[in-house]
Amino acid sequence: MPPDIDALIEELVAREPAAAANPGAVRVVRAPGRVNLIGEHTDYNDGLVLPAAIDREIRIAFIRTDDREVSLTRLDTGERDDFSLDADRRPTGTWMDYVVGTAGAIQKTGLPVSGLRGVIASDLPENAGLSSSAAIELAAAWAMLEDASSVDGLELARVCQRAENRYVGVQSGLMDQFAVACGQTGAAMLFDCRSFESRPVALPPGIGLVVCHTGSPRRLGRSEYNLRRAQCEAAVAELARLDPTIHSLRDVTAEMLAATRDRLDPVVARRAEHVIAENARVTAVVAAFAAGDLVKVGALFAASHASLRDLYEVSSPELDAMVDIAAGVEGVIAARMTGAGFGGCTVNLVRPDAIDRLRDTVAREYSARTGLTPMVLPVEIAAGAGALE
Ligand code: GLA
């Protein structure tokens, strides 16, 4: 856990005279990271995803000010940065971009925001594919909005996605912000990125969720990510020439792709093949959970990973090694890369009594294979962003 509420408030009081003068007015908000169980690179194709918010989170303790200045200090590095809600600040390539972008996106909706002095703390690894950027956006939104609790979670997620797309410049889909904003304790969320409908999906009893961090940060993330999205759009543009009712890869079946494949660039066709099959795997995993068919779940996770590696080409040797090692551990039900890829984490469904075995095996084998230091993080499924009392 990041520092508890009282400790965070003390940190703020020690730094900010306004908070010291009125400690009772200090508030604390939180936003979790997320892990995606399955449905990777489907969100920006109007597809299906199955993410879960996790009990690793970002917290901000803050006091409101009426000077329209937002000032935040990171407790891990001591770094402080500030901006005016009324000025046009260009992106600087730091974590503050997510806050500035979110402030701008909220203000475009007309919702009232106010200045603040705050401290920010986190136990969510950055650049790990666990959506620390969406978590900063949602935590900042909860802090800056005068009345965040009156804003619908999905609406807030869409505002934060616009910050990411337009200000930060990553053409990401809605999954991360949705999961961080709308997650529910104890259940993954099946989210339809076309209709925006969602419902909680409980994991079968007796299954733990374990995130394994490869220790290799996401490389090339932004440019390769935007390229994948452009390739999917190229597939849709070509297929729509044959059938104008096609608006996204969600409208394309495996049979339609097979029948028209020779019209597509081979790389573009591979990307489309992944997305179409991955959507079907999300539905199949939800059904297998309901039926308690864990062997099926394992096979679907393995197929997702192989498709991301071979067709979508977003895995890495480290992610492949981590999945391979986990798959050999007795009691590991399912393993695959999670998030955008190019480094970061894997997601594993594990029998509780196998978690130590997984940790030991990863510690022993992964470093020997890659020279990197892994991190094995058992996680619980947590609620989406909000205020802490
Ligand atoms: C990143 C993006 C999401 C999603 C995943 C891949 O996390 O932010 O929108 O596209 O990659 O599934």
Side-chain angles (χ1 to χ4, degrees), residues 34 36 39-44 172-176 225 339-340:
R34 69 95 189 89
N36 187 23
E40 219 65 85
H41 290 277
T42 47
D43 61 348
Y44 51 85
S172 49
L174 187 53
M175 170 171 73
D176 300 349
Y225 184 93

Side-chain angles (χ1 to χ4, degrees), residues 65-388:
T65 55
D66 48 23
D67 58 2
R68 308 280 295 162
E69 290 285 319
V70 173
S71 170
L72 285 170
T73 303
R74 273 180 80 131
L75 288 184
D76 57 347
T77 61
E79 188 190 348
R80 176 186 178 133
D81 198 356
D82 41 61
F83 65 96
S84 163
L85 289 166
D86 299 325
D88 253 340
R89 172 169 139 156
R90 294 289 86 214
T92 54
T94 68
W95 56 278
M96 197 55 139
D97 286 353
Y98 299 103
V99 182
V100 178
T102 299
I106 295 173
Q107 291 191 92
K108 286 206 178 77
T109 68
L111 288 166
V113 288
S114 70
L116 57 85
R117 304 286 176 276
V119 292
I120 181 163
S122 170
D123 67 349
L124 179 62
E126 279 173 50
N127 289 322
L130 299 176
S131 291
S132 61
S133 55
I136 297 188
E137 289 156 9
L138 265 303
W142 268 85
M144 293 183 294
L145 273 166
E146 279 176 15
D147 185 13
S149 59
S150 69
V151 184
D152 174 61
L154 178 63
E155 197 45 48
L156 203 52
R158 296 183 69 186
V159 171
C160 291
Q161 183 199 16
R162 287 202 286 277
E164 184 104 20
N165 291 171
R166 295 181 192 169
Y167 190 80
V168 180
V170 182
Q171 300 310 314
S172 49
L174 187 53
M175 170 171 73
D176 300 349
Q177 288 81 8
F178 163 79
V180 172
C182 304
Q184 294 183 17
T185 310
M189 300 298 291
L190 175 62
F191 181 47
D192 183 326
C193 301
R194 181 161 63 181
S195 68
F196 295 152
E197 281 166 358
S198 63
R199 72 172 169 91
V201 173
L203 270 54
I207 295 190
L209 201 52
V210 180
V211 168
C212 294
H213 189 344
T214 58
S216 72
R218 286 177 45 180
R219 286 181 298 260
L220 292 174
R222 180 176 309 194
S223 54
E224 287 292 320
Y225 184 93
N226 290 348
L227 175 62
R228 294 299 179 288
R229 184 164 184 160
Q231 289 164 335
C232 292
E233 282 161 8
V236 171
E238 185 59 33
L239 295 168
R241 286 173 37 177
L242 303 173
D243 177 351
T245 66
I246 293 173
H247 299 294
S248 70
L249 288 176
R250 184 74 180 278
D251 299 321
V252 184
T253 62
E255 295 70 33
M256 285 156 80
L257 180 66
T260 50
R261 194 166 183 130
D262 52 354
R263 307 198 42 147
L264 297 178
D265 169 89
V267 173
V268 164
R270 285 206 295 278
R271 306 298 189 242
E273 184 183 347
H274 163 76
V275 172
I276 294 164
E278 184 78 354
N279 278 326
R281 281 189 285 267
V282 176
T283 311
V285 162
V286 171
F289 276 168
D293 188 347
L294 300 179
V295 173
K296 185 81 188 284
V297 172
L300 290 161
F301 270 48
S304 171
H305 186 83
S307 177
L308 288 157
R309 182 189 61 213
D310 302 335
L311 298 177
Y312 220 69
E313 298 179 273
V314 294
S315 189
S316 67
E318 294 83 12
L319 286 165
D320 295 345
M322 192 66 95
V323 167
D324 189 44
I325 291 165
V329 176
E330 194 201 328
V332 172
I333 293 156
R336 55 178 286 278
M337 59 155 274
T338 187
F342 316 108
C345 291
T346 65
V347 55
N348 303 267
L349 302 181
V350 184
R351 301 243 182 246
D353 63 0
I355 292 179
D356 286 342
R357 192 154 52 236
L358 174 61
R359 190 184 280 112
D360 294 347
T361 311
V362 167
R364 206 172 47 242
E365 293 182 17
Y366 180 79
S367 300
R369 273 169 73 164
T370 63
L372 295 170
T373 307
M375 227 179 352
V376 175
L377 309 170
V379 294
E380 300 288 336
I381 303 184
L388 279 165

Side-chain angles (χ1 to χ4, degrees), residues 25-78:
V26 174
R27 296 168 198 202
V28 184
V29 292
R30 56 170 284 280
R34 69 95 189 89
V35 64
N36 187 23
L37 299 193
I38 196 158
E40 219 65 85
H41 290 277
T42 47
D43 61 348
Y44 51 85
N45 288 299
D46 280 359
L48 301 171
V49 294
L50 189 63
I54 59 175
D55 59 348
R56 294 244 164 186
E57 65 188 34
I58 291 177
R59 292 181 175 178
I60 300 177
F62 66 99
I63 184 151
R64 286 196 196 293
T65 55
D66 48 23
D67 58 2
R68 308 280 295 162
E69 290 285 319
V70 173
S71 170
L72 285 170
T73 303
R74 273 180 80 131
L75 288 184
D76 57 347
T77 61

